[in-house]
Amino acid sequence: MQFKRPKTIKDTQTHYCPGCGHGIVHRLVAEVIDELGLREKTIGTAPVGCSVLLYNYFDCDIIECAHGRPPAVATAIKRCQPDKVVFTYQGDGDIAAIGTAELIHAANRGENITAIFVNNAIYGMTGGQMAPTTLIGQKTTTTQNGRDRKKQGPPLKVCELLASLEGVAYLQRVAVSTAKDVIIAKKAIKKAFQNQLDGKGYSLVEVLSMCPTDWKVTPKQAVDFVNNEMKAAFPLGVYKDV
Amino acid sequence: MSKPSKKILLKGNEVLSQAAINAGCGFFAGYPITPQNEVPEYLSKALPEAGGIFIQAESEIAAINMLFGASASGVRCMTSSSSPGVSLKQEGISYIAAAELPCVIVNMQRGGPGLGNIRAAQGDYFQSVKGGGHGDYRLIVLAPSTLQEIYELTMNAFDYADHYRNPVLILGDGILGQMAEPVELTKYRPIVDLPEKDFVLDGCKGRERRVIKTLLLQPAEALIEFNEYLKKKYAGIESELKLCQKYRCDDADLVVAAYGITARIAEGAVDMARDKGLKVGLIRPITLWPFPDEDFRAVAEQAKKLLVVEMSNGQMIEDVKLSIECSRPVEFYGTGGGWYPTSEKIMEKIESVYE
């Protein structure tokens, strides 16, 4: 068996840290775009956060958005070009803190776009501050004694939040911390793109992912953290499938 | 028998909306705020009927970011708001200016600061011409003073935006938006060269993929070079696009300077002064950026004094003083907070400062 680079991924090294999950998620998205033959009709949006530079790795049209605004930008692109495929790729700060309004309303309007949400429970690019999805008790540079439910509230659960919205077509939470999880993640991402081709409306895949650098653990410990802690706080599964 | 007039009676906000449609605007996103609500109301019906897209956005922030996407799709696009809402748009305006995406932004100004009130004001001059958002960027700012001019400048705004690949702001106010007067809806004709949009993201079929971005991390000089490039672009706009109207200035000892609806009110005061034998003229910038500084210098050579009138506590007056390099005394008359001057009050001020 030959392990080839997807056509939608450029032949270059990434800036991601060892053990980071973004590389896996990038590859899965690129494989799906390849398999569905969408590279030449796809427009992706880049968020603010570690994956802002995803245009250095994806070989398709990309627009870099202001922090949290990809759902609004993608809304307009898809409305103006309904025959094209539009995806957003956002981290937890982008989608669940500063961009909450744009997320909820794009989803509720049922915009026919595909959203990839990478949840690693921390602000990576800025150096490890608390994210809206940081776990209770998790230490970050702005919750140095651990996230306190009374002060910072519990982690925000995007799939559960969006599941109540009638406009949403598909929601699934997956992980990339085991081989089996990666296979499930790819199927979910493919379905989220296929839904757009079928005109079903807003589809979002939340991916639990590793950030060993800002969690201050080894890559192996980061995988364990996803499997043991994150999956408990953010149960995997399909939250909506219309 | 003379031909019947082709003019129709519309409100300023409606004139602006129809001008956008006639100029080929294909996308509008906005959020309700008084006194500009007739713009989204009109376009929610008329724009889709003309084949365009209308979205009532969840916020001003979302609306301006929708323009970011629509413009990247190659579609002529517009958003409209009033002062507090335009403040919210500043983040997106900075990104759009940095990405050099053409679009039209409307501000029908109301009283501020804060929630202020819903009456006409001109307190957003600084925000409009000096930045508003972060970073070294410029907006082309157009200030109509009649509804006919709203119609023409709105169509022109789309042309300037495409020609210069730059956002264009139409700076009106609550009076211009709400008043009605007869307007002739002339046929749209481009007034400048419209370059091919080679930046459009429409899928990379048969070409290299394209990226629209504003983050310039590496090499370290990249952002310096980009800002140098922008500086040259803005200098080019300054050399080409300074619009100004002068009224009875040729022999004027005192020249009143005002823009927008205030200039129209001041014109009445100038006529009153002339009737009393006072040599008074009016200079009205139509572009607030670029500011028509040469015209002001020319006027100041003749005039002994200038009088700036604004619906604010004095903002444009700074550009007037800079333009003439303080070579003449510059008086001021104005009030902030949703107030408009009458011609009579301006006349009183003229008489009190006239020498």
Side-chain angles (χ1 to χ4, degrees):
Chain A
M1 184 181 154
Q2 209 178 1
F3 195 67
K4 282 186 184 162
R5 177 177 55 83
K7 263 168 55 184
T8 307
I9 286 281
K10 293 167 88 77
D11 188 8
T12 182
Q13 275 197 324
T14 75
H15 72 291
Y16 296 120
C17 306
C20 170
H22 274 303
I24 302 169
V25 185
H26 280 21
R27 184 181 172 99
L28 296 181
V29 172
E31 283 181 0
V32 165
I33 290 172
D34 275 14
E35 288 167 20
L36 296 173
L38 303 177
R39 192 183 76 87
E40 294 185 335
K41 60 186 290 191
T42 292
I43 299 134
T45 69
V48 170
C50 283
S51 50
V52 61
L53 297 175
L54 66 80
Y55 40 77
N56 288 348
Y57 315 127
F58 278 88
D59 192 10
C60 61
D61 282 4
I62 303 278
I63 185 165
E64 174 201 278
C65 306
H67 201 16
R69 318 301 174 215
V73 177
T75 291
I77 295 172
K78 184 68 181 182
R79 295 280 192 108
C80 290
Q81 305 180 79
D83 57 327
K84 300 290 162 32
V85 171
V86 181
F87 76 89
T88 62
Y89 188 111
Q90 299 182 262
D92 37 53
D94 205 74
I95 206 168
I98 200 163
T100 322
E102 286 78 9
L103 165 73
I104 287 176
H105 289 274
N108 194 53
R109 285 190 303 266
E111 299 295 343
N112 190 28
I113 56 178
T114 302
I116 310 298
F117 161 35
V118 179
N119 178 1
N120 59 16
I122 204 148
Y123 281 77
M125 193 186 222
T126 44
Q129 297 82 9
M130 181 188 74
T133 52
T134 291
L135 305 189
I136 297 295
Q138 187 182 339
K139 288 182 180 174
T140 71
T141 58
T142 52
T143 53
Q144 297 188 17
N145 295 318
R147 182 173 185 158
D148 181 344
R149 179 186 292 270
K150 285 182 183 165
K151 287 180 184 161
Q152 289 93 25
L156 201 144
K157 297 178 179 179
V158 167
C159 281
E160 288 85 336
L161 183 72
L162 297 186
S164 68
L165 305 180
E166 287 178 31
V168 176
Y170 173 59
L171 297 166
Q172 185 169 350
R173 184 181 289 128
V174 298
V176 286
S177 48
T178 71
K180 188 184 165 197
D181 281 319
V182 170
I183 291 166
I184 295 169
K186 173 149 177 209
K187 279 185 186 158
I189 291 168
K190 195 163 188 175
K191 185 175 168 69
F193 275 88
Q194 186 62 49
N195 279 356
Q196 184 177 162
L197 296 174
D198 297 341
K200 286 194 173 172
Y202 191 83
S203 297
L204 177 140
V205 178
E206 174 177 346
V207 186
L208 304 185
S209 181
M210 296 74 70
C211 181
T213 300
D214 282 314
W215 293 350
K216 297 179 173 52
V217 297
T218 65
K220 170 72 172 71
Q221 289 168 326
V223 164
D224 294 341
F225 184 77
V226 173
N227 288 335
N228 301 330
E229 311 289 335
M230 285 188 76
K231 285 180 184 175
F234 299 102
L236 303 186
V238 177
Y239 284 81
K240 191 159 190 185
D241 186 7
V242 176
Chain B
M1 228 175 98
S2 63
K3 275 188 176 174
S5 170
K6 287 179 186 168
K7 290 185 174 179
I8 58 170
L9 187 69
L10 288 171
K11 289 177 90 169
N13 286 332
E14 296 167 335
V15 171
L16 182 135
S17 305
Q18 189 57 49
I21 292 174
N22 291 4
C25 175
F27 185 96
F28 177 93
Y31 186 86
I33 183 169
T34 308
Q36 63 81 57
N37 289 317
E38 292 82 2
V39 178
E41 286 168 354
Y42 188 98
L43 289 172
S44 67
K45 183 170 186 294
L47 188 55
E49 283 173 3
I53 297 156
F54 170 88
I55 300 181
Q56 180 167 329
E58 60 270 27
S59 70
E60 306 289 0
I61 298 169
I64 193 71
N65 280 282
M66 287 176 185
L67 259 60
F68 194 65
S71 187
S73 297
V75 176
R76 282 192 157 184
C77 52
M78 183 171 87
T79 185
S80 165
S81 190
S82 182
S83 307
V86 177
S87 294
L88 275 174
K89 290 188 194 293
Q90 295 302 326
E91 173 204 59
I93 292 172
S94 170
Y95 279 73
I96 289 171
E100 297 191 270
L101 291 174
C103 70
V104 175
I105 301 145
V106 179
N107 182 1
M108 289 296 178
Q109 296 173 86
R110 59 186 253 181
L115 202 49
N117 63 20
I118 59 171
R119 300 184 66 190
Q122 293 181 322
D124 303 346
Y125 179 90
F126 285 152
Q127 183 193 63
S128 306
V129 307
K130 306 293 182 191
H134 59 286
D136 259 334
Y137 73 91
R138 290 290 189 180
L139 301 180
I140 296 168
V141 183
L142 306 175
S145 72
T146 68
L147 269 54
Q148 189 65 47
E149 199 177 31
I150 286 181
Y151 181 72
E152 281 147 24
L153 285 182
T154 301
M155 294 195 294
N156 297 349
F158 286 95
D159 293 343
Y160 295 139
D162 282 343
H163 181 77
Y164 293 112
R165 274 193 65 176
N166 208 69
V168 176
L169 179 77
I170 298 172
L171 192 63
D173 62 72
I175 297 175
L176 282 168
Q178 292 300 321
M179 68 188 278
E181 61 183 348
V183 178
E184 186 178 349
L185 303 180
T186 52
K187 192 173 186 307
Y188 164 72
R189 282 188 189 82
I191 53 156
V192 283
D193 169 49
L194 301 176
E196 191 195 340
K197 295 185 173 180
D198 58 3
F199 56 85
V200 168
L201 304 186
D202 56 359
C204 58
K205 191 170 184 178
R207 61 161 170 79
E208 286 290 302
R209 66 78 183 256
R210 291 174 182 152
V211 173
I212 292 176
K213 62 173 191 147
T214 63
L215 178 70
L216 297 172
L217 291 176
Q218 288 175 328
E221 303 78 30
L223 189 56
I224 297 170
E225 285 169 12
F226 179 66
N227 275 302
E228 280 296 321
Y229 156 77
L230 281 183
K231 193 169 128 190
K232 282 184 195 143
K233 169 174 142 171
Y234 298 146
I237 299 173
E238 283 187 287
S239 70
E240 291 172 7
L241 189 70
K242 288 176 182 169
L243 304 175
C244 184
Q245 192 179 47
K246 292 173 205 165
Y247 178 68
R248 305 182 90 165
C249 280
D250 286 349
D251 63 341
D253 290 330
L254 175 73
V255 170
V256 178
Y259 72 94
I261 196 67
T262 311
R264 200 159 163 195
I265 297 167
E267 196 179 306
V270 167
D271 288 340
M272 286 180 195
R274 286 281 175 176
D275 288 347
K276 284 196 174 180
L278 307 180
K279 290 181 177 175
V280 180
L282 172 72
I283 182 168
R284 174 175 76 90
I286 298 169
T287 52
L288 299 180
W289 193 89
F291 196 75
D293 48 357
E294 289 101 343
D295 290 287
F296 273 84
R297 275 198 290 280
V299 155
E301 278 176 22
Q302 159 74 30
K304 296 183 181 120
K305 195 183 255 187
L306 276 78
L307 167 63
V308 177
V309 183
E310 299 179 63
M311 288 192 286
S312 77
N313 283 335
Q315 298 190 14
M316 185 181 78
I317 188 173
E318 294 191 4
D319 282 336
V320 173
K321 285 181 175 174
L322 281 171
S323 294
I324 66 167
E325 295 170 352
C326 295
S327 60
R328 295 284 182 276
V330 181
E331 302 283 348
F332 181 75
Y333 181 60
T335 304
W339 163 95
Y340 66 91
T342 60
S343 297
E344 289 75 15
K345 287 283 181 190
I346 298 173
M347 179 60 194
E348 277 177 28
K349 183 71 182 183
I350 287 171
E351 286 186 301
S352 76
V353 300
Y354 191 85
E355 287 163 3

